[in-house]
Amino acid sequence: MPESTAPAPFTADDYRARMDRAAESAAEAGLAGVLVAPGPDLVHLTGYQPTAITERLTVLVLAPGRDPVLVVPTLEAPDAEKAAGAAALSLRDWTDGTDPYAVTAPLLDAAGRFGVSDNAWAMHLLGLQKALPGTSYVSLTEALPMLRAVKDAHELARIEAAGAAADQAYGEIVKVRFAGRKETEVAADLATLLLDFGHSQVDFTVVGSGPNGANPHHEAGDRVIGHGDMVVLDFGGLKHGYGSDTTRTVHVGEPTDDERSVHELVRAAQQAGFEAVRSGAACQDVDRAARKVITDAGYGEYFIHRTGHGIGVTTHEPPYMVEGEERGIVPGMCFSIEPGVYLPGRFGVRIEDIVTLAEDGTGRRFNNTSREMAIVE
């Protein structure tokens, strides 16, 4: 069951430091500032998440050398004032019937270029452009992709707790019966286990049995799992506001030699990717290391996705472990390493851990269940 003590909440000072770093990063990128809409960026920077995301403008304005300002509808201001990071910023509210862009415009450089949250509504961006025609905008993923990538010690502790909870869920799911049950039934078991072990949100429970396992993002369906099936289990969600994501591939009854061989190949590739995590390495080096093992064995065409993705307040975010990503891996980055082999019409195998670069310059796993093939009933 989940641990009895939750981590200490983030403080206003924690959020102030994050907003300061974001403003500094904007300046380094040649931006006049950052505009943050409701969503994961706003949660990360302020601790504020509106009860509902609506057509009313809410935006955090961060600019180098200026205090942070959160523009909110008047009716939502009381909730914003209760946010953990509220003491580190100023609130500016607007009422229905007034122009929210006229309220926001004085906070911006009229000729500036701003980074904008990827999930900002087009109507709000167009409203700001109309109010300030001299401004221009770029998505945060393009301009500041590492905004949330490097976690502090408190964030790492949350990701570690989420990973441990996912491991506990896996430890229990291998005890249930697979044969004769639908994929959806096993997926429901996984979701319940994640919640039992402290997750507040379940994002996905992939259960891909037999040929369905050859689809990396197969959605659990009504296929009845049978004796002799390989089954890919990929599951995760949020605990204490931070993500878990792990994959193990199990087998119902004894596998064939070919199935064992492919599983061992993926296990070796995953280990090679993990060993590539070290000081001085680039994100693409992890992909290259894992992919080389699979390609050298003749299965390269069946490894059809990147090797990994970042994780934090969402279960998918930068950095990405993929060819062409030359950005260096630094301590505090957290990301998946999840190579796979997918044989159409037959089966798939994927093994995934969340990993960080520790301060000593070596990789550290947040998932520690066995990567050997588990035999289930």
Side-chain angles (χ1 to χ4, degrees):
M1 298 303 291
E3 70 271 19
S4 58
T5 58
F10 294 124
T11 67
D13 286 341
D14 293 325
Y15 291 112
R16 181 178 290 106
R18 292 176 190 176
M19 288 188 282
D20 287 346
R21 285 196 299 271
E24 291 167 4
S25 296
E28 292 168 0
L31 299 174
V34 175
L35 306 180
V36 185
D41 291 330
L42 189 62
V43 172
H44 174 73
L45 290 167
T46 69
Y48 177 53
Q49 184 167 359
T51 302
I53 298 175
T54 71
E55 72 284 356
R56 292 184 174 97
L57 176 70
T58 294
V59 62
L60 173 69
V61 180
L62 301 177
R66 300 183 187 177
D67 292 334
V69 179
L70 180 62
V71 178
V72 297
T74 300
L75 78 168
E76 296 175 4
D79 288 337
E81 290 171 350
K82 297 175 185 176
L89 51 78
S90 299
L91 285 179
R92 187 164 299 185
D93 65 322
W94 61 275
T95 58
D96 287 350
T98 62
D99 183 355
Y101 310 111
V103 173
T104 308
L107 304 174
L108 308 184
D109 179 342
R113 182 171 175 79
F114 294 87
V116 182
S117 297
D118 295 2
N119 57 331
W121 283 28
M123 65 179 286
H124 295 321
L125 191 58
L126 293 170
L128 286 171
Q129 286 182 312
K130 183 177 180 180
L132 295 170
T135 55
S136 60
Y137 304 89
V138 61
S139 76
L140 283 182
T141 289
E142 179 181 345
L144 298 176
M146 296 297 108
L147 179 66
R148 306 195 314 260
V150 179
K151 277 67 178 178
D152 62 30
H154 300 299
E155 292 178 290
L156 291 172
R158 286 164 167 76
I159 294 175
E160 181 177 19
D167 283 358
Q168 289 174 298
Y170 176 72
E172 294 300 317
I173 199 66
V174 294
K175 300 175 184 177
V176 310
R177 184 165 184 81
F178 280 66
R181 303 178 69 211
K182 295 179 180 179
E183 292 173 340
T184 51
E185 293 175 312
V186 176
D189 288 344
L190 268 172
T192 297
L193 286 166
L194 286 171
L195 295 172
D196 285 347
F197 288 112
H199 280 64
S200 60
Q201 175 178 312
V202 177
D203 284 351
F204 49 88
T205 51
V206 173
V207 179
S209 64
N212 288 342
N215 176 358
H217 281 174
H218 170 69
E219 185 172 346
D222 289 336
R223 184 181 186 276
V224 176
I225 301 169
H227 189 82
D229 278 347
M230 194 85 85
V231 185
V232 178
L233 304 172
D234 183 352
F235 51 98
L238 300 182
K239 179 175 182 177
H240 304 316
Y242 282 75
S244 69
D245 185 1
T246 187
T247 307
R248 295 291 184 264
T249 304
V250 304
H251 198 276
V252 185
E254 286 299 318
T256 65
D257 289 345
D258 187 36
E259 288 170 330
R260 282 194 180 278
S261 176
V262 173
H263 190 281
E264 176 57 23
L265 173 64
V266 174
R267 189 203 64 75
Q270 207 267 351
Q271 179 64 24
F274 173 70
E275 291 175 0
V277 179
R278 61 185 185 278
S279 294
C283 293
Q284 68 180 5
D285 294 337
V286 176
D287 183 86
R288 288 175 174 178
R291 197 169 301 276
K292 184 177 188 302
V293 173
I294 292 173
T295 300
D296 287 353
Y299 286 86
E301 66 182 293
Y302 302 111
F303 181 10
I304 56 177
H305 55 72
R306 65 195 175 205
T307 294
H309 58 82
I311 193 167
V313 293
T314 60
T315 48
H316 277 217
E317 61 185 49
Y320 298 105
M321 307 297 114
V322 65
E323 181 65 32
E325 180 49 270
E326 299 178 349
R327 185 173 284 103
I329 301 172
V330 300
M333 283 183 176
C334 297
F335 47 87
S336 68
I337 300 178
E338 50 179 306
V341 168
Y342 309 94
L343 304 177
R346 297 180 60 197
F347 63 87
V349 176
R350 183 166 64 256
I351 300 172
E352 174 186 14
D353 296 324
I354 298 302
V355 172
T356 189
L357 179 66
E359 291 293 340
D360 67 0
T362 62
R364 176 190 173 199
R365 284 183 165 105
F366 287 134
N367 295 108
N368 295 289
T369 56
S370 174
R371 283 163 284 279
E372 303 295 331
M373 186 191 297
I375 308 300
V376 298
E377 296 181 355

